[in-house]
Amino acid sequence: MIQKDIFSFLCNRKLLRNVPITQRLRDSGSLKRTCPLCSVERSLQKKGCGRVDRKKKYRRLLLWFLCLDLLAVVWFGYRYLERKIPDKLFVSEGKEEQVKNVLDFPFLSFDDAITVSGDGSYLLKARILGVIPFKDVKITPADSESVMVSGDTVGIYMETDGVLVIDTGEIVSQEGFTQDPAKNILKPGDYIVALNEQKISCKQDLINDLETIDGKPVTVSVRRNNSTIPVSLSPAQDASGKYKLGIWVRDDTQGIGTLTYVTKDGNFGALGHGISDIDTGNLLSIKGGNLYCAQILGVQKGEKGSPGELSGLIRYRNDNVIGQIRVNSSNGIYGSFTSSSGNNITELQAAASASDDTVNASESFNQSKTSFWDFADSFSGNDSLPISLRQMKIGYKQEVQTGPASILCDVGNGVKEYDAEITRIDMNHEDTNKSFVIHITDQRLLNTTGGIVQGMSGSPILQNGKVIGAVTHVFVQDAASGYGIFIENMLERV
């Protein structure tokens, strides 16, 4: 019996040697769930699957990052080309090679030109890699145009077209209660043009009409987003017994800027950017205004984080008017130029042309600086406040280059030319008055103003003997640098 049991035990051991340990443990009911070896195997299987899953997730994540990088490269590449390739170009006769240089970019090709108008303009269709449509560039032949550049500081006064609503406000009644009758009805930026169908031209018209309504509801016609709409308001009585609408309004604005140029037709352009309301931030809608001679009284020097400004005196007299403002646009203010001394534009142009002949005789542009403004007093509107003008050819955007340039401005001692440098050019910036960056390098101007200050907007920028644009903005964090606008963009509104 003992021998039989020993034989069976040995046989079973021999058989078990040929069976994997995991199978033996699974065949044993008592060890099926508690065997540590089985638990180890299951744990290893789970860890192996976990590693595979993590690798797949990592691969997917890397693939997503790669796709995002490719999209970013394509987007920034497109934006780069969009800002470097202009939508339109003006080309003078004999300067066609400049177009080729401006439009010469890798991966970009152009179809044959197609005439689009009777003036000889034509379109160049740009394609990426010769297949993907990119944009159409309009090429317009242009004469070698000249304007009379200035750089003088001028006073600006403009009246709004209607009464501008700045904000609404509360009215305290005689009983101490507060009311806000215009809240959520009138909005900042609205222009009041009529009250009960009576035209409103200024604040005083509005005040006079309110005195006659005796607290009755009124219909106010407002211009909002180029549409005129009627709204109903119920005036509230204040502590003094007067009826009011509960609105803050403005009907005019004034300040100083720089005159950029005057054309042969007697039209002027100034500032290089539009005048916006300081409270609403919207471009002012104007019915007209005047341009005045101005006298610089002081300069607040610009510093990092604190832009400087010119302080001036404006005499709002008829004999001090040098122009009528007709347009306030995003690219500047425009109107007709007149001389308070009675000189007409033909006489001014003749004087400018005579001086231009002398300047052209010099061998280099820098050599002409000393005689640059010698003729200005011959057509001054005022003996103490001369208006300086000089005829110069305009340089189109494709002629503008990074490198040395100069600006004309008056910071209290008459119009002078100061050295500067163009550091960056955007041929097709979405804001046309931020088309290039200019940096002041002249130590004289840096010592006086710190660079560019408020009031210098419109200062002409010169390069290679041509006027190429005007100063428009100053960088808050770098008073020596700012933006400029191409002169051709300013001339579009003339």
Side-chain angles (χ1 to χ4, degrees):
M1 184 69 180
I2 294 175
Q3 291 178 349
K4 186 177 178 180
D5 291 339
I6 292 172
F7 178 78
S8 298
F9 173 75
L10 292 173
C11 289
N12 287 334
R13 286 197 64 183
K14 187 176 182 180
L15 290 171
L16 286 172
R17 287 173 185 165
N18 298 324
V19 178
I21 183 66
T22 55
Q23 182 177 338
R24 280 182 276 161
L25 292 172
R26 281 195 293 268
D27 291 341
S28 175
S30 61
L31 297 176
K32 186 175 182 180
R33 296 182 182 276
T34 59
C35 177
L37 292 176
C38 185
S39 298
V40 169
E41 183 188 32
R42 290 176 182 173
S43 177
L44 290 173
Q45 288 176 345
K46 289 180 180 178
K47 287 183 179 178
C49 292
R51 290 193 186 99
V52 173
D53 290 341
R54 282 197 295 272
K55 287 181 179 179
K56 288 182 179 179
K57 289 180 180 179
Y58 291 151
R59 289 192 186 110
R60 289 174 183 171
L61 189 61
L62 288 173
L63 184 60
W64 274 107
F65 279 129
L66 180 60
C67 291
L68 289 175
D69 287 342
L70 289 174
L71 288 175
V73 169
V74 171
W75 169 250
F76 285 113
Y78 178 87
R79 291 292 296 161
Y80 174 79
L81 286 176
E82 174 68 24
R83 295 179 70 162
K84 289 296 182 181
I85 303 297
D87 292 332
K88 55 185 175 181
L89 288 171
F90 294 90
V91 185
S92 302
E93 185 178 355
K95 302 290 185 179
E96 293 79 4
E97 189 66 24
Q98 294 175 346
V99 176
K100 182 180 178 181
N101 295 335
V102 170
L103 303 181
D104 185 16
F105 280 88
F107 312 113
L108 202 63
S109 61
F110 292 86
D111 294 347
D112 294 334
I114 302 175
T115 302
V116 295
S117 65
D119 62 357
S121 299
Y122 55 90
L123 290 179
L124 292 178
K125 294 185 178 295
R127 297 180 185 273
I128 299 175
L129 299 175
V131 178
I132 305 172
F134 177 56
K135 66 160 43 175
D136 293 342
V137 180
K138 183 178 180 181
I139 308 297
T140 302
D143 297 330
S144 184
E145 190 175 352
S146 296
V147 295
M148 289 179 286
V149 297
S150 181
D152 269 298
T153 302
V154 291
I156 299 166
Y157 175 80
M158 300 191 307
E159 295 179 344
T160 60
D161 185 14
V163 177
L164 173 65
V165 177
I166 299 172
D167 203 354
T168 61
E170 295 180 341
I171 299 174
V172 181
S173 67
Q174 293 175 333
E175 294 78 17
F177 298 108
T178 59
Q179 300 180 68
D180 197 345
K183 186 177 182 180
N184 299 325
I185 299 176
L186 294 181
K187 299 179 179 180
D190 287 345
Y191 286 87
I192 298 175
V193 295
L195 183 71
N196 288 337
E197 298 184 352
Q198 297 296 316
K199 184 178 179 181
I200 299 296
S201 299
C202 61
K203 289 186 295 185
Q204 194 58 48
D205 288 347
L206 185 61
I207 293 171
N208 294 340
D209 287 354
L210 284 174
E211 292 177 350
T212 63
I213 60 176
D214 198 25
K216 298 177 182 178
V218 296
T219 300
V220 180
S221 298
V222 298
R223 187 173 66 253
R224 179 184 299 167
N225 299 328
N226 297 322
S227 298
T228 302
I229 58 174
V231 297
S232 179
L233 290 176
S234 297
Q237 199 171 26
D238 66 6
S240 65
K242 295 181 179 180
Y243 286 97
K244 297 182 178 180
L245 297 178
I247 54 177
W248 297 95
V249 297
R250 177 176 293 132
D251 62 359
D252 62 9
T253 188
Q254 56 274 324
I256 62 174
T258 301
L259 178 64
T260 307
Y261 66 83
V262 179
T263 67
K264 61 182 180 181
D265 299 322
N267 297 314
F268 74 83
L271 297 187
H273 62 74
I275 297 179
S276 299
D277 180 70
I278 191 172
D279 294 294
T280 66
N282 298 330
L283 192 70
L284 287 175
S285 175
I286 67 167
K287 63 181 178 183
N290 288 328
L291 207 65
Y292 294 86
C293 285
Q295 183 180 359
I296 301 298
L297 299 179
V299 178
Q300 179 182 338
K301 192 173 181 179
E303 298 176 351
K304 183 178 181 180
S306 178
E309 64 177 349
L310 300 178
S311 300
L313 173 65
I314 307 171
R315 295 180 176 88
Y316 295 105
R317 304 192 309 251
N318 290 335
D319 62 352
N320 204 39
V321 174
I322 58 173
Q324 285 75 47
I325 303 171
R326 298 192 306 267
V327 177
N328 176 38
S329 78
S330 59
N331 287 345
I333 60 173
Y334 303 89
S336 57
F337 182 82
T338 57
S339 173
S340 57
S341 64
N343 298 98
N344 59 36
I345 194 64
T346 303
E347 292 170 338
L348 300 184
Q349 187 178 5
S353 298
S355 175
D356 194 39
D357 292 338
T358 305
V359 172
N360 288 339
S362 48
E363 294 182 359
S364 69
F365 178 63
N366 291 332
Q367 292 176 356
S368 68
K369 290 183 179 179
T370 55
S371 60
F372 201 83
W373 302 104
D374 290 348
F375 68 92
D377 291 336
S378 65
F379 46 88
S380 298
N382 184 306
D383 290 339
S384 60
L385 298 172
I387 295 299
S388 302
L389 294 170
R390 175 185 183 268
Q391 189 164 342
M392 293 188 71
K393 291 183 178 180
I394 67 172
Y396 295 110
K397 64 174 68 174
Q398 65 270 17
E399 300 179 57
V400 181
Q401 304 171 345
T402 55
S406 61
I407 72 168
L408 302 173
C409 62
D410 179 8
V411 293
N413 52 357
V415 177
K416 297 186 182 300
E417 187 175 359
Y418 298 97
D419 293 330
E421 181 182 12
I422 296 175
T423 59
R424 193 182 76 205
I425 303 171
D426 286 324
M427 286 289 185
N428 203 44
H429 199 287
E430 53 267 21
D431 292 332
T432 53
N433 50 31
K434 297 180 179 179
S435 295
F436 56 90
V437 175
I438 185 165
H439 179 76
I440 304 301
T441 59
D442 199 305
Q443 199 60 46
R444 296 173 301 163
L445 190 58
L446 293 172
N447 291 338
T448 304
T449 65
I452 301 171
V453 296
Q454 298 176 75
M456 287 173 58
S457 294
S459 298
I461 301 175
L462 314 179
Q463 190 177 59
N464 298 325
K466 296 182 178 181
V467 54
I468 60 167
V471 175
T472 58
H473 297 79
V474 57
F475 294 161
V476 175
Q477 298 301 321
D478 181 10
S481 300
Y483 285 117
I485 182 174
F486 292 126
I487 191 67
E488 64 191 70
N489 292 131
M490 288 190 71
L491 288 167
E492 286 181 351
R493 295 304 300 263
V494 175

